[in-house]
Every structure is written in structure tokens, then in C-alpha cells.
Amino acid sequence: MIGKATKGSKKKWMGLALTMVMGVSLLAGCSSASEKESAEGGATTNGERVTLKVEVFDRGNSPSPHTITNNYLTKFVQEKFGDPNNIDVQFVPVQRSEETTKLNVLMASPSDVPDIVFVYDSSVFYRYAQQGGLTEVGELLNEHAPNLKEYLGEDLLKFGQLEGQQFAIPGKRAITSRYNSYIRQDWLDKVGMEAPTTTDELYETLKAFKEKDPGNLGSKNIPMGMALAPAQYETLIYSFIKPVQDGLTYSQRYELPLHDGFKDAMQFLNKLYNEGLISKDFSLDEEKTQLVKDFQNGNIGYMSEDVGQILYADGMLDNLYKNVPDSKVVAVDAYTNSNVDNKHIKSRYGSNGMYIMIPKSSKRSVEAVKYLDWMASGTNLLEMNTGVEGENYDMVDGVPVVKDDAPQDVKDRIYNGGDMAIIANGKVVGDQAANEAAWIAGFPERNQELMRQSIDIANTDTIGPVIFSKPIEAESKYGTALNDKLKVLIVKTAMAKPADFEAVYEKEMNDFMSLGGTELKKELEAALQ
């Protein structure tokens, strides 16, 4: 057995947008390479040992002595899949925060791009497919991936199709719960207030946190933690926007400014910023590095985050309790949406996860599909996500329950399990209820009740994305540029002086619409019909 901020931010955004836009045309270089070898799938012949290159997210969190390309799971893959098939599996790290940017660069170079790549953004997938940059894998799945096809099912596979052809293999999302919010109960007790249950109550609570400074923090006091990341700004935005159809919104990305109520959300954020109620330098914190530090040091009274993100062993909550022993955090459902009967509206994920793709230039498409099929076979997916039974976890009523008392080196085996087991987003062990039970059981026992409450809140009054039967062309053309512009729009409208808000908002929205927002809005509205 083989023993988990600078002054140049504006230039960065501009450079990022330029790189992404250029990436569209650069794909031509990818699709022109060795058409014959790609079409034949590059099957291994004559016992020749080949190399299969697989993308992996690098979050910069590898515990010593592991690295992102040399750890327990990379060795597990090599031993269980690579060696029996005469394949050297080589992992190519891509920073999670630069997922699309780096992928555009890789896709432009047939010699550098991995044989397996992936992306969460459907518009990026459609763009690659439409420009001929991806291998059609329908027949490869039929020939080499019976386990994978059974695991995913026909309905889920459709998410990776374009005009009836299979250009991506969707990951299966274990659960659709997305975001939750947390508040310092000890701060509430000190200011003599109950947990807020409406947006207005939340605002009054944040003002009390600032004025009364229950943590005795002075200038370090942050009533509401904020970063330039979806888990923070989307939770706020969804509490103001109006659904476009039957409890559905457009996809939860750069389409947000096209919803009624978006301006109200930006005006509320502007109010919070100008009154000193949110993290002052949130615009420089896309990686949430400062947000994490501030939370762990006890400086934040309220914040939103991905469900469970703060609850992992030795994670944000555990570190807060070590640093501030008398602190206490509770889950809270504070935001209400006046456009939807004052419900606690929040977004949920679609049933598909990431889009797993094989570039057209790959000579190892057969091996790539076989690797994904191997992952869906037997207990491989479970072991990649959960580790070794009896050492990392115990199986209880069909649910893998993590062993809290496992030695640290045993826990570290699977520090990157979620990023290696790419055919699953989360622990897929059965239906949604079973997956949620498995997810909860994966947290330290001390945090499981809070995790259960977090999931319940995250599943309340959710709104899902509209799933269209064909790609939205404007997403492929303008998606990456609009995604960057959304961040600029959020920052500039938030930081504007209250008297200048209207003018700044109008200018930034005009820019957004001129960058492709107008065409996107027109096409989305037509597609709804």
C-alpha cells in the first residue's frame, strides 16, 4: 500500500482579459496538429510505454513532503492505472485561480497542452469545441469506457455535447448546495442582538459590530468579511436580483448584471463599503488569502463562503477557535430578496461539474478515456476521495466516515483528493441525501452539526441556472472578457463615493454592454423563448 495586492491590479485585469480574448484565436494552432494521429486516438502499440499528461489544480496547499505532482495520489494512479497499462502518468499543475488563463495558453501549444484538461466555464468549453480544438469522444466512450458511461448516465453526458457530438465528459456533482453564511455568536451576545434573518437586520447588525467593536479590535475590526470572489459577492447579489423564468436565473457568472435588481445589489455593496462595514481591501483579495487570515485571527464578524469551506480539519474555524478560544460561530440565513417574496434566495449548482476535455492535438485520447473509465471502476473513485478504509475512514451504513484520530501523514494522503478525482465534484456515493451524509461524515465530528446546518441553509430557497439546449454563441465570444469586466464593475461601483455612484455605475455598465453584454442579453432573451 502506498504510504490534501498591488497597485497593478487594474493592469492585471486588463492583461487577463487580453490573454483570454487572444486565447480564442490561438486555438487554431492547437487544432492543426497531427490530424491523422489525433483521429486514430494514438492507441498504444507494440508494447511501447507512453506518457499521458493530465491537468491538475495547484492550490498551493501541498503538505510536506508532498508536492502537487508527487504525492500519495499521483503514486496511487501510477501504481494502479499507469504501470498495469504501460503508461507514465504525468500531472501538469495549473493554478486554480488562473484556470482559464493558463488553459488558453496551453491549448495554443499542441506540444505543451495536457491530454486531459478541464474547465468549469461552459462558454470556454463551447468555444474550444466550436473552433475544432477538442477530440470528439463519443465512440471512444462506447469502446473504452463502459464504467464511466454507467457512472455518468446519458442525461449528464448531454452537458458535454455540441450538436449531438460528445466533446466533453462532464464531472458529476455530488450535491448542489453552494453557499452559506456564518456569524460570530459571541459578538452578537456582546452587542445584545439576535442573529439577523433579513437583509435590513443584517445591516443593523453590521453597524453594531462596527460601532461597539465587540472583539475589541480597533482598526482591525471587520464587521463583514469580503473578497473579490464569487462566494462573497454572489451571495449578496442573489439577494437582490429577480429570476428570469420560473425560479431560474442565467448561469451564475458574468450574466449577473443582466438581471433586474443587480444595480440595487451594487448600491447596497457601495453603502457597506463607504460605511466601513466590509473588508477595506477586498478588491485586492481575489484569492481570499487576506479573508482567510482575518477570519482565523478573529477579525471578522460575518461572512459568506462555499458550504463547508471553513469546517475542514485544521481549517478556518478550527484555527479561529485556537486563536480566539472564547469565540463561537453559527450558521445564519440573513439575506432576503424583496423581488421574490422576501425569500432567502441563493444560487445552487447545476447537476454537472467541470467539463473534462481531450484536446484535438492529443495523441493519447484512447489512454485518456481509459484513465477516466478506470477512475469510475471499482473503488478507485472512493479511494481517491477518501483514502484507505480502516486507516482514513470507516464504512458505516454505506457512508465513509472519516477517522478523526488518523495520524497527520495518513490524513495528508488525500489533501488533494477532490482535485485528482475529476469525474466527481464532491463524494459521489449515491443520491443527493447519501452524498450529503458522506460529505458531512468527512468533516471532524466537532464540526459536523454546523456542517449539517450549513447544508440545510444552502438548500433553502435556491435558484438554479437555466439549461439551454444549445450553446449561447455570445458566451463563447465574450464570456471571458465579460467575466473580467464584472469584477471591475463590482470594485468600481463599490468604491465610488455615494454621490458618484450613479455616474460610475452607468459608465461601467455601458462598458459591460459594449464588450458583448448587449449581444449576450439579446441572445439569452431569445433563447428563453
Side-chain angles (χ1 to χ4, degrees):
M1 181 57 64
I2 306 170
K4 183 184 48 111
T6 68
K7 294 181 180 179
S9 294
K10 183 175 180 180
K11 293 182 179 179
K12 175 185 174 184
W13 286 329
M14 294 174 63
L16 180 63
L18 180 61
T19 301
M20 290 181 172
V21 172
M22 290 177 65
V24 175
S25 59
L26 287 173
L27 274 176
C30 177
S31 59
S32 64
S34 193
E35 294 289 339
K36 181 179 179 180
E37 292 180 45
S38 296
E40 293 174 350
T44 309
T45 58
N46 301 322
E48 174 191 2
R49 193 171 182 89
V50 300
T51 297
L52 176 69
K53 295 191 292 182
V54 181
E55 178 185 353
V56 64
F57 280 150
D58 185 357
R59 301 178 189 270
N61 63 338
S62 299
S64 179
H66 301 295
T67 68
I68 198 62
T69 56
N70 184 14
N71 53 65
Y72 173 85
L73 288 179
T74 61
K75 294 173 183 176
F76 176 82
V77 168
Q78 184 60 50
E79 178 184 310
K80 301 296 184 180
F81 169 77
D83 292 341
N85 291 285
N86 211 22
I87 297 171
D88 289 320
V89 184
Q90 177 184 335
F91 289 93
V92 180
V94 171
Q95 278 190 306
R96 175 67 177 93
S97 59
E98 299 179 1
E99 165 196 357
T100 307
T101 313
K102 181 63 179 292
L103 185 55
N104 280 332
V105 175
L106 291 172
M107 289 290 286
S109 174
S111 61
D112 293 334
V113 66
D115 302 294
I116 294 177
V117 297
F118 42 78
V119 69
Y120 281 104
D121 192 329
S122 62
S123 67
V124 176
F125 153 60
Y126 284 132
R127 188 178 74 225
Y128 292 159
Q130 290 170 323
Q131 294 187 346
L134 301 178
T135 299
E136 205 285 325
V137 297
E139 284 305 311
L140 292 173
L141 292 176
N142 290 336
E143 294 176 26
H144 305 290
N147 300 291
L148 182 62
K149 288 191 67 176
E150 181 181 358
Y151 165 77
L152 294 174
E154 292 298 327
D155 288 342
L156 192 59
L157 281 168
K158 290 178 182 177
F159 283 95
Q161 294 176 3
L162 175 64
E163 297 179 356
Q165 292 185 293
Q166 194 79 43
F167 286 108
I169 299 165
K172 178 186 286 189
R173 191 172 293 282
I175 65 172
T176 58
S177 310
R178 196 167 192 188
Y179 300 131
N180 188 65
S181 299
Y182 301 93
I183 198 165
R184 288 279 297 274
Q185 181 64 53
D186 54 311
W187 283 23
L188 288 172
D189 293 340
K190 289 179 180 178
V191 300
M193 300 180 76
E194 298 292 327
T197 59
T198 68
T199 303
D200 289 342
E201 289 179 5
L202 173 62
Y203 171 68
E204 294 300 326
T205 301
L206 297 177
K207 286 203 303 180
F209 283 173
K210 177 178 175 59
E211 294 166 2
K212 298 182 179 180
D213 191 13
N216 196 28
L217 296 165
S219 61
K220 295 181 180 179
N221 178 21
I222 303 173
M224 173 174 158
M226 186 73 182
L228 191 57
Q232 283 71 55
Y233 61 71
E234 283 188 9
T235 48
L236 185 151
I237 292 171
Y238 263 78
S239 68
F240 286 89
I241 63 173
K242 184 178 180 180
V244 295
Q245 186 183 79
D246 298 329
L248 298 174
T249 61
Y250 299 131
S251 295
Q252 305 113 317
R253 300 186 305 275
Y254 41 81
E255 296 94 339
L256 288 171
L258 304 181
H259 293 83
D260 291 342
F262 177 78
K263 181 180 179 180
D264 296 329
M266 293 300 97
Q267 191 137 35
F268 184 64
L269 183 61
N270 174 269
K271 181 179 181 179
L272 296 179
Y273 181 84
N274 279 282
E275 294 184 15
L277 301 180
I278 63 174
S279 304
K280 180 181 178 181
D281 296 322
F282 82 94
S283 63
L284 306 177
D285 196 20
E286 290 187 60
E287 307 301 317
K288 301 195 282 193
T289 304
Q290 190 60 46
L291 182 76
V292 171
K293 290 180 181 177
D294 286 331
F295 182 86
Q296 293 181 159
N297 289 332
N299 300 337
I300 290 175
Y302 169 90
M303 67 176 289
S304 299
E305 187 51 282
D306 298 298
V307 174
Q309 184 64 34
I310 74 168
L311 302 176
Y312 290 101
D314 301 317
M316 294 169 66
L317 184 66
D318 286 354
N319 288 329
L320 168 66
Y321 287 167
K322 290 176 184 176
N323 294 331
V324 188
D326 61 347
S327 60
K328 182 180 180 181
V329 170
V330 295
V332 63
D333 205 1
Y335 287 121
T336 44
N337 190 318
S338 61
N339 281 314
V340 195
D341 299 326
N342 287 313
K343 290 185 177 180
H344 297 280
I345 297 301
K346 55 188 75 71
S347 65
R348 66 172 181 268
Y349 285 113
S351 59
N352 65 310
M354 61 173 57
Y355 297 84
I356 305 167
M357 305 165 288
I358 302 173
K360 189 67 174 290
S361 60
S362 173
K363 301 176 183 179
R364 302 272 77 89
S365 57
V366 169
E367 290 83 356
V369 169
K370 286 184 175 180
Y371 171 60
L372 298 175
D373 187 70
W374 167 84
M375 196 180 296
S377 307
T379 61
N380 295 322
L381 184 61
L382 178 64
E383 291 186 57
M384 293 180 75
N385 258 321
T386 317
V388 181
E389 185 174 4
E391 298 180 32
N392 290 94
Y393 71 95
D394 292 319
M395 193 65 78
V396 180
D397 297 328
V399 173
V401 178
V402 169
K403 295 174 71 70
D404 283 344
D405 58 353
Q408 190 60 45
D409 62 323
V410 172
K411 294 179 180 178
D412 288 345
R413 288 171 174 169
I414 52 170
Y415 79 94
N416 60 337
D419 290 330
M420 291 286 287
I422 54 177
I423 63 172
N425 284 86
K427 296 180 181 179
V428 179
V429 298
D431 60 15
Q432 176 99 348
N435 293 340
E436 289 179 354
W439 197 18
I440 293 169
F443 288 86
E445 187 174 356
R446 61 186 175 276
N447 295 339
Q448 287 182 11
E449 180 55 33
L450 185 54
M451 181 60 183
R452 190 172 290 106
Q453 296 170 8
S454 300
I455 292 177
D456 288 343
I457 290 175
N459 285 336
T460 299
D461 297 340
T462 60
I463 288 181
V466 177
I467 305 299
F468 295 108
S469 59
K470 63 178 183 178
I472 303 300
E473 298 292 337
E475 288 187 341
S476 299
K477 291 181 181 179
Y478 309 113
T480 50
L482 290 176
N483 194 51
D484 290 330
K485 182 60 186 178
L486 171 62
K487 295 177 182 178
V488 176
L489 193 163
I490 289 171
V491 170
K492 289 194 172 182
T493 55
M495 300 176 70
K497 294 179 180 179
D500 298 333
F501 173 82
E502 290 289 340
V504 172
Y505 180 83
E506 183 176 357
K507 177 185 181 303
E508 296 306 320
M509 274 300 296
N510 286 339
D511 288 349
F512 180 90
M513 300 306 285
S514 66
L515 283 171
T518 298
E519 290 186 44
L520 177 61
K521 181 178 177 64
K522 182 179 179 180
E523 189 175 354
L524 285 171
E525 289 178 346
L528 280 177
Q529 307 306 315

